[in-house]
Amino acid sequence: MSMPFYVAPEQFMKDKADFARKNIARGRPLVATVYSDGIVICAENPSKSLHKVSEIYDRIAFAGVGRYNEFDSLRRAGVQHADVKGYQFSREDVDARALANLYAQYMGNVFTHEVKPLEVEILVAEVGATEGQDQMYHILYDGSVMDEERFSVLGGEAEAIAGRIKDSFQEGWDLSAAVRAAAAALSGPDRSPVAADLEVAVLARTNGRRAFRRLNDEEVGAALGSVSSGEPAG
C-alpha cells in the first residue's frame, strides 16, 4: 500500500495563496475613489457586455477582478441576498458591511477547505447620505476584508496604481477630476487613457434611491477632457 503524498499545511496554504495572487494579477485592475457626490469606480474593461462593476442594491455597488465567472457568481448571490433581506425586513436594513462580511466568510471557507481558491478580489461599496458616510470594503481571495476610506485598488500592479492615485487624490474633488485621476492611475505614465477601454460607474447621492449609474463613452471622454475618447478622427 502506497503512502499518501504529504504536504505541510503551511506550504499548502502558501501555494494556494500564490496561485490566487498570480492569476488575479493577470486581470485588468480597477480603482474606486470617493468624490464630492459619492463614489466612482473605474475599471480597465473594453467589453461592453461583460461588466466588472454592477449594482447590487439601492445604494450599493459590486466590483470584481480576476476570473469573471467566479466574481459574477458572487455578484448574483449578493443581489439575491439583498433582495430577500430587503423584502423580509426593510430596504434600509441592506448595507454594504453585512454583505462584505458574508462574502468574506464564504471566500474564506473556500480558501481554507477547497483545493482551489477563488481567483478573485471584490469590492463592495455603499454611498452614504453625507460625504463622510461612504463605505468601501475590499475583500481578498482568502476572505480578508480591508475597510478602505479614500480609495481602493484591485487587481494587478495594485501597489503602483495605489501610489499614483494617492499622489493625485484631493478631498472633495468633482466627478471629472476623480475620473481623470483614476484613469491616469490605471494607465500609468507610459499610456494615455482611452474612454472606450474604460468601464466607469458612480454611486451618486443626487441619483435618488437608485444611486448606481454607468457612464457612457461620451461622458467618460468628456471627463477625461483633452485625453482621447477612442473615437476615430473625422
Side-chain angles (χ1 to χ4, degrees):
M1 180 177 178
S2 62
M3 294 294 291
F5 182 72
Y6 176 76
V7 178
E10 296 85 353
Q11 185 62 47
F12 184 48
M13 301 302 279
K14 181 180 182 300
D15 289 345
K16 289 202 290 186
D18 290 342
F19 171 82
R21 281 195 297 264
K22 180 180 67 176
N23 290 319
I24 292 168
R26 292 174 178 169
R28 296 173 183 264
L30 67 82
V31 171
T33 181
V34 297
Y35 74 104
S36 58
D37 192 38
I39 299 171
V40 59
I41 306 174
C42 182
E44 285 196 70
N45 183 18
S47 174
K48 301 304 178 187
S49 57
L50 302 178
H51 297 300
K52 300 174 72 171
V53 186
S54 300
E55 180 185 33
I56 282 189
Y57 209 60
D58 291 348
R59 305 171 71 83
I60 303 174
F62 173 98
V65 298
R67 188 176 287 272
Y68 178 82
N69 66 315
E70 292 182 351
F71 71 70
D72 194 59
S73 295
L74 293 173
R75 178 194 63 81
R76 292 197 303 270
V79 171
Q80 292 171 357
H81 171 81
D83 282 343
V84 171
K85 186 173 182 179
Y87 176 76
Q88 290 180 334
F89 300 97
S90 72
R91 305 190 78 89
E92 290 74 22
D93 289 326
V94 182
D95 66 311
R97 182 182 291 107
L99 276 170
N101 287 335
L102 284 174
Y103 280 135
Q105 182 179 8
Y106 174 75
M107 294 169 72
N109 286 337
V110 171
F111 182 80
T112 302
H113 300 295
E114 302 294 334
V115 174
K116 190 193 85 64
L118 294 173
E119 301 167 47
V120 297
E121 290 182 16
I122 63 173
L123 179 77
V124 180
E126 179 178 2
V127 64
T130 62
E131 191 169 343
Q133 295 178 329
D134 298 333
Q135 301 176 55
M136 292 187 291
Y137 299 99
H138 178 184
I139 303 107
L140 303 181
Y141 54 87
D142 61 355
S144 301
V145 181
M146 293 183 286
D147 183 4
E148 311 277 25
E149 292 187 1
R150 301 187 301 170
F151 58 84
S152 183
V153 181
L154 282 68
E157 301 182 352
E159 186 174 343
I161 295 171
R164 291 194 286 266
I165 192 70
K166 180 180 180 180
D167 291 341
S168 59
F169 182 84
Q170 299 175 15
E171 292 288 350
W173 56 3
D174 62 16
L175 177 59
S176 294
V179 171
R180 282 195 301 272
L186 289 172
S187 300
D190 300 326
R191 292 189 297 140
S192 295
V194 178
D197 293 335
L198 298 174
E199 178 183 357
V200 183
V202 296
L203 287 170
R205 277 177 280 276
T206 55
N207 286 350
R209 181 170 65 83
R210 297 291 294 273
F212 182 88
R213 185 175 73 86
R214 296 187 189 281
L215 274 61
N216 58 38
D217 286 352
E218 289 74 19
E219 291 175 297
V220 176
L224 294 178
S226 60
V227 179
S228 171
S229 64
E231 298 293 333

